[in-house]
Amino acid sequence: MDRNNGGHSELFQEAIITPFNADQIHAYIDQYVLVHRPQWESKDYQKAFTDIQNLQDLVKNPFLLKLALEVLPTMVDTQRDMSSTRITRVELYDKFVTQWIERSELRFREMDLNSHVQEAFKRLSDAGFKQRGISYLKELATAIYTHQGGNPVVRYSEYLDQKAWKEPLFNPRDDLKLIREAIPLMCNGDQYRFIHKSVLEYGFTLTVFDPSVNQEYSEPAPSPARRASTGSALSFELPSTIEEEADPIDTSLPSSSLDVKNLVREPSILNFLVERVQQHPVFKDQLHAIIQLSKTDQTVRIAAANAMTILVRAGITFIGADLRGIKIPGADLSYGVFDSAQLERSDLRKVNLQTAWLRSANFDGAQMTGVMFGELPFLQESDCVMSCAFSPDGEKFAVGLYGGDVTIYETSDWSRMRKITGHNKEINSIAYSPRGNQVASGSEDKTVRVWDVESGDCTRILEGHGDSVSSIAYSPKGGQIASGSEDKTVRLWDVETSNCVQILEGHESLVISVAYSQNGYQVASGRDQIASGASDSTVRLWDIDTGICINALGGHRVGITSVIYSPKGDQIASGSWDNTVRLRDVGASNYVQIPQGHGGEVNTVMYSPDKNQVVSGSKDMTLRLWDVETGICTKTLKGHIGEVVSVAYSPNGNHIASGSWDRTVRLWDIDTGDCIYTLQGHIIRITQLMFSPKGDRVASASLDSTIRLWDVDTGNCVLILQGRGDAIAFSPDGDQIASGGDDYTVRLWSTETGSCIHILEGHENMISSIMYSPKGHQVASCSHDMSVGLWNVETGDCTYTLQGHSETVRMAAYSPKGDQIASCSDDKTVRLWDIETGCVHTLEGHNEAVVSLSYSEKNQIASGSHDKTVRLWSTETGECLLEISSFNGLVKGIDFYDQYLITGSEDKSVRCWQIIKEQDKYKALLCWSSSHDALTASGASFNGVQGLGEVDRKLLRQCGASILPSLSTEQDV
């Protein structure tokens, strides 16, 4: 298909090619080696593609595969370890283009050129042939984007284009002809084009930043206006007097092509520039400088918008940044992190803020006309949302609820039109008639009901199924309804008479889905279906050609029950067990963040002994190592085939142990990321593990009622302790292990002999967690009987029972000095206990069960809850010092050190927070976050913003932002 000019079919035709799979890559390599006889053999290429982690994904693109085969032998040495090598896309192009020009120069040297051409070649060689070739490539690419909007085919006529922009680039001078023949440019008659569109895009990026050139800094010239109207609130151009109004600032900036056009719709160019930012800090600094210049020079607003888009996509965060007054209209800030950033009075018109992190940011007085958040306010229901459907014209939306009710909404403003009652059990399926005047619902109560949309009256009750109705569909003309049921049948109903006209039998199990053919003459029924909503609380969008997930939309707190597109395909609605319907704009962004973090819930987090690293274990079956300073994921440890529920560092920090639901314990080398041992023996999933204080052993607890001790050096199991032991703890000297389980007892074991020293009895329900005091003289046990037991290690006596919680006590922690214990419970509280006198403080504030806590060295406790918050408490006063409410799932893991808090959440994130105190008030500053999959705006301020509609205002209020009316209706252009 011609993606460049629909009116000229003779122009360059670009084919869209499906990415290569592994077998196709291998076959192509073999054929390439056979034909071209390169320096490498097939096995060398295969080794490079295997050892260089990111290369395999790059070469799925056929053109990049060809580039890689040509240049790799000159870029890497297969005789060396390549596991730490990373080759980027832009590096492949750098080498490819340079190598192409160098080969051309060598070819010209060996050719018998006439005297005029030889003289031109000598002049070029003296001036630097390669440099001149690169310069021409850049000039041509910039001209194509400036004058042709990126259309890659250039038609040149020596007669017609004498005074056109093309003449200096395509005139028949000998030196220009040599240069044109030396770069990856093709000529067919009067048409010129690069050998691939991506080479044009690469050339353009060199005009923005060329690492081979020593950048000379100069203030960029003002850019001319580029849009038709200066009066519109959405116009990005300048008033005619702007050059007089703008005060030049004393700054040094590189000359740049960033102001040629908005690059949001140029993903290939952006990807090249993102890689430059990640490789060259000076380029990052230049982009920051352009953004700062936009505060006072409106002529650089397009360049500033592009600069911000590039930085955000490169993963650069703007935490606490002073961005007041910046002008970046049209920038794509989706997935950007702007925690506590200052954006007052900024020009953010048409900016994309889909899935952005805006917690505590200040947007007061900003221009936000046309801003895109990528979602609409969610619809709050009183019950779980089981199914939903758009009317054929998209003007109405029906929701089927767990309790049997149906809610109808007007999509113009998403106001509730009416609630319809009739079913007495959950609604599994809902469908509009083709005319949109009826809604049909299939229920767990074995019936199908037909409702009049305008009146809300039930006009038909279709009875006959012997079990719940799981799916329904209208025929194309609307005269018939098909219903599928758990009774293994499909029934066809006449809508007018309510009669069942056919019973279709044959399925051997429940029928989950039914659908009519377009002509209405056939009905398809299925037992299985593929849904884009899942129990992991995300909606995923998939490319049907490649099978690649192109977006993952978060926001729901629990599993998703229903997903549907609007008739126009521009919105997606998803219903969930969390009693909400979430509405997203599908086309808000063409950019999808490549996940840098876990793909599933984070179950546990832990600091390394030197506090320079954090390990996290996840439901996605991986461990990830994070640099505490930068938040970069340094290694991903793969091998488990079940979710990782427990992790532990060795005392010397050289190893990590992980326990999984796959019934194994794995020992990992931190430096290499290699799995040293896979420790097998448990027959049911692991619940907890830990290193001994000396680091020579690992203890693992399992639901198989055993505790196993493993030798770290050999990987051998040296002891098996029989007895209920879901929760375990090593004594500080390593001589004992305490275990507790569902037999209501705590057992103390000798790690030397494996003998049971004491059985501590007294609890009236199962043990949830256990720990030794810092001195090792005492054991604390938390139980489902709502108490914490304190036991004397020497005698086995219960010295104190801490009572006061009204529900299960989940865990406890000793203070660093050992004189205090904190316990958290399903009763929504944390309690502080003096181990001698009893309860000191009851810490109230959480709205749901508290499941994680950690002491700091500064008389503070952090607690994580099902209410999706973390709270910081004073151990001296019991006062809540701070609440962090920016999670989209319960906080399962917490580790506290000094003023830094690490959190791991059900929302898949690992985050590092700095706790600071300003004027007697505590604040949590986000240092870094592994990922986020939903718009976050809690604590953000949007007071006096201009251009936001009421729907967006409602959305921001739902997100916890403060928003007051605009102070003025005037548009500050």
Side-chain angles (χ1 to χ4, degrees):
M1 88 179 163
D2 185 356
R3 298 170 66 180
N4 307 306
N5 192 326
H8 297 276
S9 60
E10 73 276 18
L11 293 180
F12 172 49
Q13 306 288 311
E14 180 183 350
I16 300 176
I17 302 174
T18 302
F20 278 178
N21 59 36
D23 291 338
Q24 290 172 317
I25 292 173
H26 292 166
Y28 191 96
I29 291 172
D30 291 340
Q31 185 66 20
Y32 179 85
V33 171
L34 182 65
V35 173
H36 295 279
R37 307 285 183 182
Q39 301 174 29
W40 280 6
E41 299 178 4
S42 293
K43 63 179 183 180
D44 298 315
Y45 286 111
Q46 301 291 3
K47 185 177 188 304
F49 291 166
T50 301
D51 292 354
I52 303 174
Q53 293 185 2
N54 69 309
L55 204 52
Q56 191 73 45
D57 288 333
L58 285 177
V59 298
K60 289 178 181 178
N61 178 299
F63 185 70
L64 280 177
L65 174 59
K66 187 174 187 303
L67 257 66
L69 296 179
E70 289 192 25
V71 303
L72 273 179
T74 61
M75 296 181 72
V76 296
D77 183 356
T78 56
Q79 302 304 312
R80 296 183 178 180
D81 179 20
M82 296 183 289
S83 60
S84 60
T85 301
R86 187 175 186 274
I87 294 179
T88 63
R89 177 169 170 258
V90 74
E91 287 173 329
L92 289 176
Y93 279 82
D94 284 339
K95 191 66 176 179
F96 172 75
V97 170
T98 298
Q99 194 168 286
W100 183 293
I101 296 174
E102 288 173 345
R103 287 177 177 172
S104 297
E105 182 181 12
L106 181 60
R107 187 179 75 251
F108 291 149
R109 289 189 186 281
E110 296 173 348
M111 290 175 62
D112 185 15
L113 306 173
N114 66 47
S115 58
H116 296 290
V117 177
Q118 183 65 46
E119 180 61 28
F121 177 68
K122 185 177 183 303
R123 290 197 304 270
L124 289 171
S125 297
D126 292 342
F129 190 90
K130 182 179 72 174
Q131 288 75 14
R132 188 64 190 94
I134 296 292
S135 295
Y136 181 86
L137 177 81
K138 292 157 63 174
E139 292 167 12
L140 178 56
T142 302
I144 289 174
Y145 273 96
T146 301
H147 300 287
Q148 296 193 166
N151 184 336
V153 181
V154 179
R155 290 178 140 193
Y156 174 71
S157 165
E158 185 177 352
Y159 175 72
L160 297 175
D161 293 316
Q162 288 185 25
K163 296 184 179 180
W165 63 269
K166 305 172 189 178
E167 197 277 334
L169 294 165
F170 292 99
N171 71 62
R173 274 176 23 209
D174 290 335
D175 58 341
L176 283 178
K177 186 176 180 181
L178 284 170
I179 289 297
R180 286 197 298 271
E181 292 179 7
I183 66 172
L185 188 71
M186 300 172 61
C187 177
N188 183 13
D190 65 347
Q191 296 183 17
Y192 292 86
R193 63 179 175 87
F194 288 98
I195 63 169
H196 194 268
K197 176 73 179 294
S198 61
V199 179
L200 165 64
E201 295 161 338
Y202 165 79
F204 178 80
T205 66
L206 287 179
T207 68
V208 178
F209 182 80
D210 185 350
S212 67
V213 175
N214 182 16
Q215 294 285 331
E216 293 294 335
Y217 290 88
S218 60
E219 189 174 351
S223 304
R226 283 184 174 78
R227 302 212 177 194
S229 168
T230 61
S232 167
L234 290 174
S235 172
F236 299 162
E237 48 298 21
L238 315 173
S240 58
T241 60
I242 194 63
E243 291 187 17
E244 299 175 7
E245 297 174 355
D247 295 325
I249 67 173
D250 184 16
T251 187
S252 297
L253 291 174
S255 58
S256 170
S257 298
L258 281 177
D259 59 354
V260 169
K261 63 178 296 188
N262 190 305
L263 299 177
V264 166
R265 298 297 176 185
E266 298 286 347
S268 180
I269 290 176
L270 288 174
N271 288 341
F272 279 127
L273 295 173
V274 163
E275 291 180 347
R276 295 293 193 203
V277 168
Q278 294 167 341
Q279 294 169 350
H280 301 280
V282 64
F283 182 40
K284 180 179 72 173
D285 294 341
Q286 292 170 8
L287 296 179
H288 277 295
I290 292 172
I291 294 168
Q292 290 300 315
L293 181 60
S294 75
K295 292 181 177 182
T296 55
D297 186 351
Q298 299 187 65
T299 65
V300 300
R301 62 176 65 186
I302 293 178
N306 286 329
M308 184 64 90
T309 299
I310 294 164
L311 289 172
V312 167
R313 294 201 182 185
I316 306 302
T317 61
F318 292 83
I319 297 169
D322 182 359
L323 302 173
R324 288 173 290 189
I326 64 169
K327 298 172 181 64
I328 53 168
D332 187 354
L333 309 187
S334 52
Y335 299 94
V337 177
F338 295 87
D339 192 273
S340 304
Q342 302 168 56
L343 287 142
E344 300 98 310
R345 302 180 304 282
S346 296
D347 184 353
L348 305 177
R349 291 171 295 165
K350 284 194 172 181
V351 163
N352 188 345
L353 290 170
Q354 178 181 353
T355 322
W357 181 280
L358 311 177
R359 173 187 169 274
S360 298
N362 191 333
F363 291 84
D364 292 354
Q367 301 176 53
M368 301 190 76
T369 303
V371 72
M372 295 170 283
F373 290 107
E375 58 186 280
L376 302 175
F378 62 80
L379 310 178
Q380 182 67 57
E381 290 289 352
S382 58
D383 211 340
C384 300
V385 176
M386 303 305 296
S387 56
C388 46
F390 280 95
S391 63
D393 59 9
E395 295 181 0
K396 293 181 177 63
F397 183 75
V399 177
L401 302 178
Y402 184 82
D405 294 340
V406 176
T407 309
I408 308 292
Y409 290 89
E410 296 274 6
T411 60
S412 57
D413 58 0
W414 290 98
S415 60
R416 183 174 294 180
M417 183 177 169
R418 65 175 42 85
K419 178 168 279 192
I420 302 171
T421 60
H423 288 291
N424 56 35
K425 289 187 178 179
E426 65 191 80
I427 295 175
N428 294 322
S429 182
I430 198 163
Y432 271 91
S433 64
R435 291 170 53 196
N437 61 323
Q438 292 178 345
V439 168
S441 54
S443 170
E444 201 76 15
D445 66 9
K446 309 177 187 178
T447 70
V448 175
R449 290 177 180 254
V450 179
W451 313 86
D452 183 275
V453 171
E454 290 301 320
S455 67
D457 295 335
C458 178
T459 60
R460 302 283 188 275
I461 301 177
L462 312 180
E463 298 178 295
H465 279 297
D467 210 330
S468 63
V469 179
S470 53
S471 179
I472 57 173
Y474 270 94
S475 63
K477 293 183 179 180
Q480 196 176 80
I481 289 175
S483 60
S485 168
E486 291 189 18
D487 67 8
K488 308 176 188 177
T489 70
V490 175
R491 288 178 178 252
L492 305 183
W493 309 85
D494 184 287
V495 175
E496 186 65 30
T497 66
S498 302
N499 293 332
C500 177
V501 296
Q502 288 281 354
I503 300 177
L504 312 180
E505 299 177 294
H507 282 293
E508 297 179 358
S509 185
L510 60 93
V511 180
I512 291 182
S513 60
V514 293
Y516 277 90
S517 63
Q518 289 186 344
N519 58 19
Y521 296 141
Q522 291 182 344
V523 173
S525 60
R527 180 174 178 271
D528 299 307
Q529 65 179 4
I530 297 174
S532 58
S535 59
D536 65 0
S537 309
T538 64
V539 174
R540 290 180 178 267
L541 311 184
W542 305 88
D543 185 293
I544 60 174
D545 292 326
T546 65
I548 296 172
C549 178
I550 58 176
N551 212 337
L553 310 174
H556 285 295
R557 290 186 291 121
V558 291
I560 290 168
T561 57
S562 179
V563 175
I564 190 169
Y565 274 92
S566 65
K568 294 181 180 179
D570 57 343
Q571 291 180 345
I572 283 181
S574 59
S576 166
W577 288 99
D578 65 6
N579 298 8
T580 68
V581 176
R582 291 195 174 261
L583 307 160
R584 282 98 168 178
D585 292 322
V586 178
S589 176
N590 66 340
Y591 168 63
V592 179
Q593 183 188 50
I594 299 173
Q596 300 299 312
H598 286 291
E601 299 173 11
V602 178
N603 293 320
T604 179
V605 293
M606 178 180 283
Y607 268 110
S608 62
D610 63 8
K611 311 303 181 185
N612 291 325
Q613 191 181 71
V614 167
V615 63
S616 55
S618 169
K619 193 173 182 177
D620 68 5
M621 302 182 287
T622 70
L623 292 82
R624 289 179 183 258
L625 305 184
W626 308 89
D627 182 275
V628 169
E629 184 69 24
T630 65
I632 294 173
C633 177
T634 57
K635 286 184 176 65
T636 301
L637 310 183
K638 298 179 180 180
H640 283 296
I641 57 175
E643 66 176 275
V644 179
V645 294
S646 186
V647 296
Y649 276 97
S650 62
N652 62 13
N654 293 332
H655 300 96
I656 288 174
S658 58
S660 168
W661 280 12
D662 65 8
R663 300 172 291 181
T664 71
V665 174
R666 287 178 177 256
L667 293 180
W668 308 86
D669 183 285
I670 289 180
D671 290 334
T672 65
D674 295 334
C675 179
I676 305 169
Y677 294 115
T678 300
L679 311 180
Q680 296 176 308
H682 288 295
I683 59 175
I684 305 181
R685 69 191 190 196
I686 312 296
T687 57
Q688 188 181 358
L689 59 77
M690 57 179 51
F691 273 93
S692 65
K694 295 178 182 178
D696 58 338
R697 290 183 177 182
V698 169
S700 58
S702 166
L703 292 180
D704 65 9
S705 301
T706 69
I707 300 159
R708 290 176 177 258
L709 268 65
W710 312 86
D711 185 279
V712 172
D713 291 331
T714 65
N716 294 330
C717 180
V718 294
L719 278 178
I720 301 176
L721 311 179
Q722 298 288 343
R724 301 293 184 177
D726 301 345
I728 56 173
F730 266 107
S731 63
D733 60 12
D735 292 340
Q736 287 184 4
I737 284 181
S739 67
D742 59 7
D743 64 356
Y744 308 173
T745 69
V746 176
R747 295 170 186 258
L748 305 184
W749 309 84
S750 167
T751 58
E752 184 64 30
T753 65
S755 60
C756 182
I757 303 169
H758 293 295
I759 299 178
L760 313 180
E761 297 178 309
H763 282 297
E764 297 177 356
N765 208 326
M766 65 185 296
I767 311 300
S768 51
S769 66
I770 199 164
M771 67 288 308
Y772 276 87
S773 64
K775 295 180 180 179
H777 68 291
Q778 190 178 73
V779 166
S781 56
C782 303
S783 172
H784 286 242
D785 68 6
M786 303 178 287
S787 73
V788 178
L790 303 183
W791 311 86
N792 184 292
V793 171
E794 189 68 30
T795 65
D797 296 333
C798 181
T799 57
Y800 210 97
T801 300
L802 307 179
Q803 294 180 316
H805 285 296
S806 58
E807 292 189 40
T808 296
V809 181
R810 289 294 170 186
M811 69 175 297
Y814 277 93
S815 63
K817 295 180 181 179
D819 58 341
Q820 196 179 67
I821 287 178
S823 59
C824 62
S825 168
D826 287 357
D827 67 5
K828 310 175 187 177
T829 70
V830 176
R831 287 180 179 254
L832 300 183
W833 313 84
D834 183 286
I835 62 172
E836 299 294 336
T837 63
C839 185
V840 179
H841 296 294
T842 300
L843 313 182
E844 297 179 301
H846 284 295
N847 297 318
E848 295 185 37
V850 185
V851 295
S852 56
L853 55 81
S854 180
Y855 263 98
S856 77
E857 301 287 337
K858 296 186 174 182
N859 298 319
Q860 294 170 350
I861 291 175
S863 58
S865 168
H866 278 261
D867 66 9
K868 302 187 293 183
T869 70
V870 170
R871 285 177 176 259
L872 184 68
W873 311 87
S874 167
T875 61
E876 296 176 343
T877 66
E879 176 189 2
C880 181
L881 306 174
L882 173 68
E883 179 186 89
I884 307 174
S885 57
S886 303
F887 302 94
N888 289 312
L890 69 92
V891 181
K892 290 185 171 182
I894 292 178
D895 204 357
F896 210 169
Y897 172 70
D898 193 26
Q899 59 180 328
Y900 293 96
L901 181 69
I902 299 293
T903 58
S905 171
E906 194 177 48
D907 65 10
K908 309 174 190 176
S909 71
V910 178
R911 296 187 178 123
C912 179
W913 309 83
Q914 183 183 14
I915 309 301
I916 64 171
K917 188 176 182 181
E918 291 181 349
Q919 299 178 347
D920 297 327
K921 185 177 181 180
Y922 284 86
K923 290 179 61 177
L925 301 180
L926 180 70
C927 299
W928 52 264
S929 175
S930 62
S931 62
H932 56 279
D933 59 6
L935 177 68
T936 302
S938 59
S941 178
F942 290 84
N943 299 325
V945 295
Q946 301 175 30
L948 274 187
E950 187 52 42
V951 171
D952 286 334
R953 291 172 182 268
K954 183 177 180 181
L955 169 66
L956 292 170
R957 290 189 188 103
Q958 285 182 344
C959 291
S962 166
I963 181 164
L964 296 175
S966 172
L967 300 178
S968 170
T969 57
E970 297 179 3
Q971 295 296 328
D972 178 17
V973 180

